[in-house]
Amino acid sequence: AFEKLSRMAGPSAAARLLEKNPNTPPSKLLARVSMADPPAHRAKPQARDHRQHKHPQRAAHAGASSSSRSASASSSQHHTSRGARQDCEPDHESGEALSEQAITERCTTLKERGNAYFKQSKWEAAADTYAQGAALAFKLVPLDYNSATADGKLVPLASLASVLYSNGANALDKLGRRHEALQCCHCALRLKADNSKAAVRGAQCATALGLFSDSLALYRAAAAQGFPDLEAEVARAERMSEDMRKAAELLAQDNGTRAKVLLSDAYAAAPTSLGVLELLVKAHLLCKEFEEARTLVK
């Protein structure tokens, strides 16, 4: 139901609907959208037929444009409304056979267009454009493609798709959609294991989400690939990952005072992380600091 809602209303609109109606099942939201905004191909069929009859060439051009927009929207949904595995799915709707050179040229054009949107601070447009390019690349790149075992096959196109995912992650991070950004970074690294920029961006997103173990692994991967000046970030991720582990142990022993001290850095780095907030609320409750705990719960 959520996928249908995303196709009908768009991924961003679908996410906003779910945020505004957290207790309403996606199937009911889908019914509301269907009743309020019926599909375009059902609206005014006689008027469209009349235009096609009167101006056949213009009608054919309009139909082609509509089909192109539909394919573009479909490809962008792979990037924004599914998990990491589904984010890497190709668009099978077009059925158009394209050469590797043609797909590479189109992906390059989309990457440059996305870069232009990003420079203009048009984060949503940039993310969607990068997603279209990545989905197009997967017309040739296998779903299980892994740069470590590819033996040189499709490396240029896979590398380009990796850059598209990495750039898309940057745009999504600007929009505050860090879970999706982190998924895109993992896709980028699977396509090109030495994409150190994707590793660093993924580590930054993981830190903001309070996933300090993931952040540590990604920072270490980037450092191993030669990304400079990461010693401080690696040390910080190590410390916060260890602090989270120790805080959980202390809370199990009803030691809220010490746990609060250990969680201070993690809370500063990820103030909206549910994992960090949950531990911090428990610490305040153990210290009988009910107002502080109530504030964090809110």
Side-chain angles (χ1 to χ4, degrees), residues 129-190:
T129 303
Y130 291 134
Q132 292 172 32
L136 182 61
F138 275 95
K139 285 181 175 290
L140 287 183
V141 179
L143 290 178
D144 58 351
Y145 182 90
N146 191 312
S147 61
T149 58
D151 297 327
K153 297 178 181 178
L154 290 170
V155 169
L157 184 55
S159 297
L160 179 55
S162 178
V163 172
L164 286 162
Y165 270 114
S166 179
N167 290 358
N170 204 13
L172 289 166
D173 185 34
K174 293 288 186 181
L175 291 166
R177 292 154 58 179
R178 293 190 176 92
H179 281 287
E180 296 169 73
L182 180 57
Q183 291 169 0
C184 288
C185 289
H186 283 301
C187 280
L189 289 168
R190 182 167 61 80

Side-chain angles (χ1 to χ4, degrees), residues 215-298:
S215 174
L216 176 59
L218 288 165
Y219 273 132
R220 284 175 173 170
Q225 293 157 12
F227 200 96
D229 304 325
L230 288 179
E231 293 81 3
E233 283 77 4
V234 170
R236 180 168 174 254
E238 286 178 339
R239 186 179 68 255
M240 288 191 292
S241 179
E242 182 65 11
D243 286 349
M244 288 283 286
R245 184 189 67 78
K246 289 181 178 178
E249 292 180 353
L250 288 168
L251 290 173
Q253 300 167 9
D254 294 337
N255 189 341
T257 303
R258 180 59 183 159
K260 281 194 305 178
V261 175
L262 290 174
L263 291 169
S264 58
D265 285 346
Y267 180 63
T272 60
S273 166
L274 293 179
V276 175
L277 287 171
E278 181 181 3
L279 294 180
L280 201 51
V281 166
K282 290 180 180 178
H284 281 297
L285 290 175
L286 285 172
C287 295
K288 301 187 184 302
E289 297 169 348
F290 303 119
E291 286 300 323
E292 290 84 350
R294 185 179 293 108
T295 299
L296 290 174
V297 168
K298 290 180 179 180

Side-chain angles (χ1 to χ4, degrees), residues 62-199:
S65 299
S66 175
S67 178
S68 174
R69 287 194 300 271
S70 176
S72 173
S74 175
S75 62
S76 70
Q77 289 165 5
H78 293 292
H79 183 67
T80 56
S81 64
R82 301 184 181 182
R85 173 66 176 80
Q86 291 172 308
D87 277 342
C88 298
E89 290 183 358
D91 177 12
H92 295 292
E93 294 182 5
S94 171
E96 182 181 1
L98 296 173
S99 66
E100 181 179 351
Q101 180 181 355
I103 289 179
T104 301
E105 290 174 354
R106 290 192 184 185
C107 288
T108 301
T109 299
L110 288 167
K111 184 191 77 170
E112 293 172 351
R113 187 181 303 164
N115 292 345
Y117 283 134
F118 191 90
K119 290 178 181 178
Q120 298 169 16
S121 300
K122 297 179 179 178
W123 317 125
E124 189 80 40
D128 288 344
T129 303
Y130 291 134
Q132 292 172 32
L136 182 61
F138 275 95
K139 285 181 175 290
L140 287 183
V141 179
L143 290 178
D144 58 351
Y145 182 90
N146 191 312
S147 61
T149 58
D151 297 327
K153 297 178 181 178
L154 290 170
V155 169
L157 184 55
S159 297
L160 179 55
S162 178
V163 172
L164 286 162
Y165 270 114
S166 179
N167 290 358
N170 204 13
L172 289 166
D173 185 34
K174 293 288 186 181
L175 291 166
R177 292 154 58 179
R178 293 190 176 92
H179 281 287
E180 296 169 73
L182 180 57
Q183 291 169 0
C184 288
C185 289
H186 283 301
C187 280
L189 289 168
R190 182 167 61 80
L191 291 164
K192 190 173 186 290
D194 61 350
N195 188 341
S196 57
K197 286 186 178 180

